[in-house]
Amino acid sequence: MELGLRLGEAPAKRAMRSGLLLGMGLGVGRGEDEDEERRAEEEEEEMDEEDRRGRGLAEPPLQLDLLPLLPSPLQLRFPWATANKNMDASVRGFDVNQAPSPEEGAAASSSPNSTSSSFQMDFSAQVIGGEATAGERGPLRVSDEEENGLGRKKLRLSKEQSAFLEESFKEHNTLNPKQKLALAKQLNLRPRQVEVWFQNRRARTKLKQTEVDCEYLKRCCQTLTEENRRLQKEVAELRALKTSHPFYMHVPATTLSMCPSCERVASTSSATIAAAAEHRPNSFAALFSKPSPLQLGLQPGSPALRQSSPAS
DNA sequence: AAGAGCGATGACGTTACCTCA
DNA sequence: GGTGAGGTAACGTCATCGCTC
């Protein structure tokens, strides 16, 4: 796979700052790759530019406030479709993410009116986006509004595309322009789509991590509450024992000590805690003698995350 | 050297669309 | 068939960084 590329310095640094890399083995550094990366960025611009030309847009800047005026999602994904005025009827039941058959593509690109001459899909077997059949992917989901060029487009990624992106995310959860472009080409998506997918995936990872942390802290709280209750009961019993049998209260000093501020039996020695952890694995002592998930940092590919991962 | 301006990018929150029960 | 919930692609905004002047 050509995706094991090194992260660019900037994204890596930013990810480090935000604590998102979580100790992943990432090669960081721009240096020699700078030129290559710049070329990748330019290439990406070209790709988007070609994409725009394919949609029949004359001007490069994609003004967000002009979105309602843009061609329909159908045209965005299949510029060649604009050559066929009856397309919307014939296209239903067709996968928007699927590349057309070679015949269709050839027919479209050979059309003198076609605006897609520069928007060539790669139909080779390595292009993930074009693998699913129409039957597997279900009908095209294009509303009437969208067909009129109104509303925002939302295209479901195919299982193959999601799985591939997921694999890439396991390798590195941020992308430099080169990686983004390579992925986009390979998956037959626009670079912007890849970028958005990674942004959303990072958000999901973080959300999941927060849930895991929250659960862990809840368990800690519960355990501490139980432990506290148990200890208070123990203290009460010992006090009762002291009053009734003062002779038996010669307990070693390291085991029980009096808190000088609250004058309660408050702590045990570290050796006692260790022993308690050994004998009562669920006690608070055992709990804190192990590293927490927070300390370990949950990896994107960890089972806890994979379990709820949307694509898995 | 310090600082303003600018573009790029990530985080985060939100919206809109789609699927499914 | 209608509907609400959940998932997620796409978007808007803000913060931060690196670069240039």
Coordinates of all heavy atoms in Angstrom, one line a residue, chain A residues 18-48:
Chain A
S18 N -2.2 18.8 20.5 CA -3.6 18.5 20.9 C -3.7 17.1 21.5 O -4.7 16.6 21.8 CB -4.5 18.6 19.8 OG -4.2 17.8 18.7
G19 N -2.5 16.4 21.7 CA -2.5 15.1 22.3 C -3.2 14.0 21.5 O -3.7 13.0 22.1
L20 N -3.3 14.2 20.3 CA -4.0 13.2 19.5 C -3.2 12.1 18.9 O -3.7 11.0 18.5 CB -4.7 13.9 18.3 CG -6.1 14.5 18.7 CD1 -6.6 15.4 17.5 CD2 -7.1 13.4 18.9
L21 N -1.9 12.3 18.9 CA -1.1 11.2 18.3 C -0.9 10.0 19.2 O -0.7 8.9 18.8 CB 0.3 11.8 17.9 CG 0.2 12.7 16.7 CD1 1.6 13.1 16.2 CD2 -0.5 12.0 15.5
L22 N -1.1 10.2 20.5 CA -1.1 9.1 21.4 C 0.0 8.2 21.3 O -0.2 6.9 21.3 CB -2.5 8.4 21.3 CG -3.7 9.3 21.6 CD1 -4.9 8.5 21.2 CD2 -3.7 9.7 23.1
G23 N 1.2 8.7 21.1 CA 2.3 7.8 21.0 C 2.4 6.9 19.8 O 3.0 5.9 19.9
M24 N 1.8 7.3 18.7 CA 1.9 6.5 17.6 C 3.3 6.6 16.9 O 3.9 7.7 17.0 CB 0.8 6.8 16.6 CG -0.5 6.5 17.1 SD -1.7 6.4 15.9 CE -1.6 7.9 15.0
G25 N 3.8 5.6 16.3 CA 5.1 5.6 15.7 C 5.1 6.4 14.4 O 4.8 5.9 13.3
L26 N 5.3 7.7 14.5 CA 5.2 8.5 13.3 C 6.5 9.1 13.0 O 7.2 9.7 13.8 CB 4.2 9.7 13.6 CG 2.8 9.2 13.8 CD1 2.0 10.3 14.4 CD2 2.1 8.8 12.5
G27 N 6.9 9.0 11.7 CA 8.1 9.7 11.3 C 7.7 11.1 11.0 O 6.9 11.4 10.1
V28 N 8.3 12.0 11.7 CA 8.0 13.4 11.6 C 9.2 14.2 10.9 O 10.3 13.9 11.2 CB 7.7 14.1 12.9 CG1 7.5 15.5 12.8 CG2 6.5 13.4 13.5
G29 N 8.9 15.1 10.0 CA 9.9 15.9 9.5 C 9.6 16.3 8.1 O 9.0 15.5 7.3
R30 N 9.9 17.5 7.7 CA 9.5 18.0 6.4 C 10.7 18.0 5.5 O 10.8 17.3 4.5 CB 9.0 19.5 6.6 CG 8.2 19.9 5.4 CD 7.1 20.9 5.8 NE 6.4 21.2 4.6 CZ 5.1 21.5 4.7 NH1 4.5 21.4 5.8 NH2 4.4 21.8 3.5
G31 N 11.8 18.7 5.9 CA 13.1 18.7 5.2 C 13.1 18.4 3.7 O 12.6 19.2 2.9
E32 N 13.6 17.2 3.3 CA 13.7 16.9 1.9 C 12.4 16.7 1.2 O 12.2 16.9 0.0 CB 14.4 15.5 1.8 CG 15.9 15.6 2.3 CD 16.5 14.2 2.3 OE1 15.8 13.3 2.0 OE2 17.7 14.1 2.6
D33 N 11.4 16.4 2.0 CA 10.0 16.2 1.4 C 9.3 17.4 1.1 O 8.2 17.4 0.5 CB 9.2 15.3 2.4 CG 9.7 13.9 2.4 OD1 10.5 13.5 1.5 OD2 9.4 13.2 3.4
E34 N 9.9 18.6 1.5 CA 9.2 19.8 1.3 C 8.7 20.0 -0.1 O 7.6 20.3 -0.4 CB 10.0 21.0 1.7 CG 9.7 21.5 3.1 CD 10.5 22.7 3.5 OE1 11.0 23.4 2.6 OE2 10.7 22.8 4.7
D35 N 9.7 19.9 -1.0 CA 9.4 20.1 -2.5 C 8.3 19.2 -2.9 O 7.3 19.6 -3.6 CB 10.6 19.9 -3.3 CG 11.5 21.1 -3.1 OD1 11.1 22.2 -2.6 OD2 12.7 21.0 -3.5
E36 N 8.5 17.9 -2.5 CA 7.5 16.9 -3.0 C 6.1 17.2 -2.4 O 5.1 17.1 -3.1 CB 7.9 15.5 -2.4 CG 8.3 14.6 -3.5 CD 8.7 13.2 -2.9 OE1 9.7 13.2 -2.3 OE2 7.9 12.3 -3.0
E37 N 6.1 17.7 -1.2 CA 4.8 18.0 -0.6 C 4.2 19.2 -1.2 O 3.0 19.2 -1.4 CB 5.1 18.3 0.9 CG 4.0 17.7 1.8 CD 4.5 17.6 3.2 OE1 4.4 18.7 3.9 OE2 4.9 16.6 3.7
R38 N 5.1 20.2 -1.6 CA 4.5 21.3 -2.3 C 3.9 20.9 -3.6 O 2.9 21.4 -4.0 CB 5.6 22.4 -2.5 CG 5.1 23.8 -2.6 CD 6.2 24.8 -2.6 NE 6.9 24.8 -1.4 CZ 8.3 24.7 -1.3 NH1 9.0 24.6 -2.4 NH2 8.9 24.7 -0.1
R39 N 4.6 20.0 -4.2 CA 4.1 19.5 -5.5 C 2.7 18.8 -5.3 O 1.8 19.0 -6.1 CB 5.1 18.5 -6.2 CG 6.2 19.2 -7.0 CD 6.8 18.2 -7.9 NE 7.5 17.2 -7.2 CZ 8.8 17.3 -6.7 NH1 9.4 18.4 -6.9 NH2 9.3 16.3 -6.1
A40 N 2.7 18.1 -4.2 CA 1.4 17.4 -3.9 C 0.3 18.4 -3.7 O -0.8 18.2 -4.1 CB 1.6 16.5 -2.7
E41 N 0.7 19.5 -3.0 CA -0.4 20.5 -2.7 C -0.8 21.1 -4.0 O -2.0 21.3 -4.2 CB 0.2 21.6 -1.8 CG 0.3 21.1 -0.3 CD 1.2 22.1 0.5 OE1 1.3 23.3 0.1 OE2 1.7 21.6 1.5
E42 N 0.2 21.4 -4.9 CA -0.2 22.0 -6.2 C -1.1 21.0 -7.0 O -2.0 21.4 -7.6 CB 1.1 22.3 -7.0 CG 1.7 23.6 -6.4 CD 3.1 23.7 -7.0 OE1 3.5 23.0 -7.9 OE2 3.9 24.6 -6.5
E43 N -0.7 19.7 -6.9 CA -1.4 18.7 -7.6 C -2.8 18.6 -7.1 O -3.8 18.5 -7.9 CB -0.7 17.3 -7.4 CG -0.9 16.4 -8.6 CD -0.2 15.1 -8.3 OE1 0.8 15.1 -7.7 OE2 -0.7 14.1 -8.8
E44 N -3.0 18.8 -5.8 CA -4.3 18.7 -5.2 C -5.1 19.9 -5.7 O -6.3 19.7 -6.0 CB -4.2 18.8 -3.7 CG -5.5 18.7 -3.0 CD -5.4 18.9 -1.5 OE1 -4.3 18.7 -1.0 OE2 -6.4 19.3 -0.9
E45 N -4.5 21.1 -5.8 CA -5.2 22.2 -6.3 C -5.6 21.9 -7.7 O -6.8 22.3 -8.1 CB -4.3 23.5 -6.3 CG -4.3 24.1 -4.9 CD -3.2 25.2 -4.9 OE1 -2.9 25.7 -5.9 OE2 -2.7 25.5 -3.8
E46 N -4.7 21.3 -8.5 CA -5.0 21.0 -9.9 C -6.2 20.1 -9.9 O -7.1 20.2 -10.7 CB -3.8 20.4 -10.6 CG -2.9 21.4 -11.1 CD -1.6 20.8 -11.7 OE1 -1.7 19.6 -12.2 OE2 -0.6 21.4 -11.6
M47 N -6.2 19.1 -9.0 CA -7.2 18.1 -9.0 C -8.6 18.7 -8.7 O -9.6 18.4 -9.4 CB -6.9 17.0 -7.9 CG -7.8 15.8 -8.1 SD -7.1 14.5 -7.1 CE -8.5 13.3 -7.0
D48 N -8.6 19.6 -7.7 CA -9.8 20.3 -7.4 C -10.2 21.2 -8.6 O -11.4 21.3 -8.9 CB -9.7 21.1 -6.2 CG -9.8 20.3 -4.9 OD1 -10.3 19.2 -5.0 OD2 -9.4 20.7 -3.8

